[in-house]
Amino acid sequence: MHAPDRIRVVRTALRLSLATAFLSAVADRFGWWEPFGQGSWGSMSAFADYAHQLVPFASGWLLTVIVWTATAAEAALGVLLLTGWWPKPVGAASCLVLMIFGTAMAVSLGVESPLSYSVFSAASAAAAYAILGTASPPHTTDPAPRGLSGLETRNRRKPRDGVAAGLTQTQVYVPIVESEGR
């Protein structure tokens, strides 16, 4: 398996695991896990009670806004992750949502809670997806110079207007040394 293939596999795994986590949490809030004997909240009111533990200063309409905003954000991010659209902004937004959630858990329930539920690990996965989501191999018919992998050709310099300072395209390639062991 070549490096771009490995990146594609990791990127897909990150995307699908984050999407299922977000969508599973949303499904739990609507009680869709209950028929299977699963779930933590089972209803929006139970989730609102939990959210109130995380943000004790919020009550009434503000708590309702927070609960529905979090649910809408997680549902939208889950769907966008499933589709694979806009990996950089969706990964960054997923990371931000998870960092906010993890911080609220740590402040309100103690640092052990977000660590035990791997919230910060999921936030790191979202950040990795945002970074790897932009690392697709080049879509060009121009073959890579001999000895350069897809990762290295993606970072090559291309001349402007066909020729730069009298150098041909093959003379201005800058190979990138990979830190990955082979």
Side-chain angles (χ1 to χ4, degrees):
M1 190 182 302
H2 294 90
D5 294 333
R6 290 190 304 251
I7 290 172
R8 189 174 297 115
V9 168
V10 169
R11 184 176 54 224
T12 301
L14 289 169
R15 181 173 63 81
L16 294 178
S17 62
L18 289 164
T20 55
F22 279 134
L23 294 175
S24 175
V26 171
D28 186 18
R29 293 170 201 172
F30 290 108
W32 296 341
W33 281 115
E34 281 187 351
F36 306 102
Q38 302 287 313
S40 299
W41 303 300
S43 69
M44 284 301 280
S45 63
F47 175 65
D49 292 340
Y50 175 71
H52 186 64
Q53 289 179 346
L54 299 182
V55 284
F57 59 86
S59 61
W61 69 269
L62 180 58
L63 183 61
T64 301
V65 168
I66 290 170
V67 164
W68 283 103
T69 300
T71 300
E74 290 179 17
L77 290 170
V79 170
L80 287 169
L81 285 161
L82 278 180
T83 64
W85 289 348
W86 307 308
K88 189 173 184 176
V90 170
S94 298
C95 179
L96 179 64
V97 166
L98 289 163
M99 289 300 294
I100 290 169
F101 177 56
T103 301
M105 286 177 75
V107 168
S108 298
L109 306 175
V111 74
E112 183 272 335
S113 188
L115 295 176
S116 291
Y117 286 103
S118 302
V119 178
F120 297 123
S121 299
S124 296
Y129 175 67
I131 293 167
L132 292 178
T134 61
S136 59
H139 301 289
T140 179
T141 57
D142 181 28
R146 192 180 248 327
L148 295 181
S149 72
L151 284 175
E152 294 162 328
T153 59
R154 194 177 50 251
N155 294 317
R156 68 184 178 211
R157 294 181 188 172
K158 292 185 181 180
R160 295 183 196 143
D161 301 326
V163 178
L167 300 175
T168 65
Q169 185 171 358
T170 56
Q171 291 172 318
V172 293
Y173 289 141
V174 179
I176 305 297
V177 178
E178 293 180 34
S179 61
E180 177 179 331
R182 293 195 186 203

